[in-house]
Amino acid sequence: MGSSWLILGVILLSSQVVRSQRVRVLPEVEAYPNESVNLRCEFTNPGSTKLTQVSWIFEATEGHRENIAVFHPTYGESFPKSAFKGRVQFTQASLEYPSIRIDSVRMSDAGRYTCEYATYPSGNEQGTTTLIMLAKPKNSATPVVVQAGSAKVVVARCEALQGKPAATVTWVTGAMGEYNSTSQAESDGTVTVKSEYRMAPASTDNGRDITCMISQRTQDRPQTFPMKLVVQYPPTVRIEGYDNNWYMGRTDASLTCHADANPKVVDFTWTTLSGNLPATAKVDQNRLLVQKVDESVNTTFICEAKNSLGSGKSQLTAAVIELTGDPSSAGVLVGAILGSLLALLLASALITVLVIRSRRQQPRYTGDSDQGTYGNKARIFGVKRASKNGTGDNNNGPIYTYRESEPGALVEKGNEFLHAPAGMPAPHHIPMTCELDEAGQRKFDTLNDSMEEEEEEEEQYDGFGGLPPSYHIPRHEDDYGVYIDDDMESQRDGSIISRTAIYV
């Protein structure tokens, strides 16, 4: 029995759903105050069902129903006394399409509207539309002027007045605080939301950014209100401009008094520890101009700044110094020093260049076979080696030179060594081997033998790819005179050249 009753209930409910689906309405309709709204209703597929009458019923709250419009095919339209009297009418006078229009809708018109048919033989059939009244809130935000302190106070407010549905308020800021929001229902069905931001303000919070954001269904996106906090505090003072260079007679010295305050400073006062300012000091609002630095400026200056909340002070001690020289000539002195250093460097460089050039131009005495710097100006003592027995060409032939006045002419050089040292014999006064006596001949042969031994040593050097040492012939004097001058220098090819003869 229990299951049978359950099946019967499901069938009846299904038949009721099928019947209710024949009354077609919109589930929800949105409207704003003072607008007109259409509520549609239609009976579909009536078939054999006879439509007797249609009524619109308004339900503001659950369980409270009232008729606002009735249509009968015989008796026509009827609008019972209600809050909609004069604002509601049928858009099409028929049972099949009994839609209505409500003009000048109010917030109180929000609720459920039921289109209900009286039919035969199935009874009443209906469909319900919910009218949602929307209201754009009146949004605003403003900072609150506060004084710096340790207690938490309201520093900014944000409001969304008479909105429906209720708005949502949030805050964005770097300040260290918190906020709270409250909602209040209005008599017309709207809701007012208020939010306050609280914190313990400090002077550093003055001008800090804070933003209120309001979100609500009627808005496409959140509305933002950027603000800056306004925190008032007495002045904080500092003195600037002292450069530790206030010397006697200076005329461009000055001090500036800076004050950080809100509201702005209305008065600056300059004094000293002794009370009065020096005669050479002049006050120009927040600046102290020292017309000329003297002993009286060697003191402690005090600046006091005032605003409507109080005052602040700062002090600075100036020390006057004495200069032995004119400070204006400091630049000239530095320039003179730099110029002197530069001139000294240039002179040193010039001397270095001249010394190097002079050394390069001095004559070079080389033991090489090359002619060196002398070119072909002089060829002295073109000698062949003598044999051990004294035969062979004479080593002490005449001196031949090339004169620059007669290019290519080989002439015998006379005694023209004007610059030779005193007592030194000229080359043509050196005795020839044929003029030596027996003792002198033995000395000369001994010298030749030693030279040949040295030549053998030279060949040994040549065999190893080395260079032989230069021959420096010693000076020999006896009763026969100087037969080999110590002015001579041997060459690699075996010849002997006089250093003095080079300067012909």
Side-chain angles (χ1 to χ4, degrees):
M1 283 293 291
S3 58
S4 299
W5 283 109
L6 178 60
I7 294 173
L8 180 59
V10 170
I11 293 174
L12 291 175
L13 180 61
S14 300
S15 61
Q16 180 67 26
V17 171
V18 172
R19 287 197 301 270
S20 63
Q21 288 180 347
R22 293 194 296 179
V23 180
R24 183 177 298 176
V25 295
L26 296 175
E28 289 184 355
V29 175
E30 295 180 351
Y32 291 92
N34 301 320
E35 292 184 347
S36 296
V37 60
N38 290 325
L39 304 179
R40 296 176 54 187
C41 183
E42 176 184 3
F43 196 97
T44 61
N45 301 321
S48 60
T49 302
K50 184 177 180 180
L51 304 179
T52 304
Q53 179 177 292
V54 61
S55 302
W56 281 94
I57 302 170
F58 172 65
E59 187 176 359
T61 58
E62 188 70 26
H64 180 73
R65 294 164 58 95
E66 61 176 335
N67 288 335
I68 61 173
V70 178
F71 178 78
H72 189 275
T74 303
Y75 302 107
E77 302 172 354
S78 175
F79 301 100
K81 185 178 180 180
S82 67
F84 297 90
K85 183 75 173 179
R87 297 187 298 120
V88 60
Q89 59 182 332
F90 286 96
T91 59
Q92 187 174 349
S94 67
L95 290 177
E96 291 79 8
Y97 304 100
S99 300
I100 61 174
R101 185 180 75 245
I102 302 176
D103 298 324
S104 301
V105 293
R106 306 167 184 170
M107 295 302 301
S108 57
D109 293 343
R112 299 176 61 189
Y113 292 81
T114 301
C115 179
E116 185 176 84
Y117 278 91
T119 66
Y120 180 84
S122 59
N124 293 340
E125 296 186 26
Q126 63 185 15
T128 302
T129 297
T130 301
L131 176 61
I132 300 175
M133 293 299 300
L134 300 177
K136 294 181 179 181
K138 301 176 181 66
N139 302 328
S140 63
T142 181
V144 179
V145 179
V146 296
Q147 293 185 13
S150 58
K152 288 187 176 182
V153 294
V154 177
V155 297
R157 290 190 175 95
C158 195
E159 297 178 341
L161 303 178
Q162 297 177 336
K164 191 174 182 180
T168 302
V169 179
T170 56
W171 294 87
V172 178
T173 182
M176 301 300 294
E178 57 190 18
Y179 70 92
N180 65 304
S181 301
T182 59
S183 299
Q184 179 181 349
E186 304 293 343
S187 59
D188 58 357
T190 59
V191 180
T192 295
V193 178
K194 295 182 179 181
S195 183
E196 295 178 338
Y197 197 92
R198 293 175 175 269
M199 61 180 293
S203 60
T204 55
D205 293 320
N206 184 51
R208 187 183 295 274
D209 293 330
I210 185 169
T211 300
C212 172
M213 300 179 62
I214 300 177
S215 302
Q216 207 258 356
R217 181 175 178 178
T218 62
Q219 301 173 177
D220 296 335
R221 55 183 175 273
Q223 188 175 3
T224 60
F225 294 90
M227 298 172 287
K228 290 186 180 296
L229 297 180
V230 182
V231 181
Q232 295 183 337
Y233 51 94
T236 301
V237 183
R238 70 183 186 279
I239 300 176
E240 295 181 353
Y242 182 65
D243 57 1
N244 295 308
N245 191 31
W246 283 23
Y247 52 84
M248 293 291 294
R250 181 174 174 177
T251 58
D252 60 346
S254 65
L255 299 176
T256 303
C257 184
H258 294 279
D260 181 21
N262 186 30
K264 293 183 179 181
V265 173
V266 296
D267 183 51
F268 287 95
T269 303
W270 286 93
T271 58
T272 63
L273 287 179
S274 61
N276 297 327
L277 290 174
T280 60
K282 179 181 178 181
V283 177
D284 182 13
Q285 295 182 357
N286 66 324
R287 297 188 64 199
L288 182 68
L289 307 177
V290 179
Q291 297 174 340
K292 187 176 182 180
V293 175
D294 55 16
E295 294 84 353
S296 63
V297 182
N298 193 42
T299 185
T300 299
F301 294 95
I302 301 173
C303 176
E304 182 179 10
K306 297 179 181 179
N307 68 354
S308 59
L309 298 181
S311 63
K313 293 182 180 181
S314 179
Q315 66 181 31
L316 182 143
T317 301
V320 179
I321 60 178
E322 294 185 0
L323 297 180
T324 57
D326 185 3
S328 62
S329 62
V332 177
L333 180 60
V334 172
I337 295 174
L338 293 178
S340 300
L341 292 176
L342 181 60
L344 182 59
L345 291 176
L346 292 177
S348 300
L350 180 60
I351 293 174
T352 303
V353 171
L354 292 177
V355 171
I356 295 175
R357 183 176 180 182
S358 176
R359 289 180 178 177
R360 291 181 177 177
Q361 291 179 350
Q362 290 180 357
R364 293 179 295 178
Y365 304 99
T366 62
D368 298 332
S369 60
D370 296 334
Q371 295 177 359
T373 59
Y374 304 106
N376 59 357
K377 288 185 179 182
R379 182 177 180 181
I380 313 301
F381 292 98
V383 190
K384 292 185 179 180
R385 298 183 182 88
S387 62
K388 293 182 180 181
N389 55 10
T391 61
D393 296 335
N394 191 346
N395 288 331
N396 293 326
I399 301 174
Y400 292 93
T401 64
Y402 288 97
R403 290 187 180 274
E404 294 182 356
S405 60
E406 299 177 359
L410 185 62
V411 298
E412 183 177 352
K413 182 67 178 178
N415 187 11
E416 297 177 358
F417 297 95
L418 301 178
H419 302 286
M424 180 179 293
H428 63 280
H429 290 161
I430 299 175
M432 309 300 286
T433 55
C434 60
E435 300 173 353
L436 298 176
D437 59 2
E438 183 178 358
Q441 184 67 40
R442 286 195 303 271
K443 291 181 179 181
F444 194 87
D445 291 340
T446 302
L447 176 61
N448 286 338
D449 292 340
S450 64
M451 291 177 64
E452 288 180 356
E453 291 176 359
E454 290 176 356
E455 287 176 355
E456 291 176 359
E457 292 177 2
E458 178 182 354
E459 292 175 358
Q460 293 176 2
Y461 279 102
D462 291 340
F464 289 93
L467 297 175
S470 300
Y471 296 109
H472 299 282
I473 308 302
R475 181 187 181 94
H476 296 276
E477 297 182 5
D478 53 17
D479 296 335
Y480 298 98
V482 181
Y483 62 91
I484 294 181
D485 189 6
D486 60 356
D487 185 43
M488 302 302 173
E489 183 178 45
S490 61
Q491 306 298 308
R492 294 180 58 183
D493 60 355
S495 62
I496 300 175
I497 297 177
S498 171
R499 295 191 184 97
T500 306
I502 295 302
Y503 297 94
V504 178

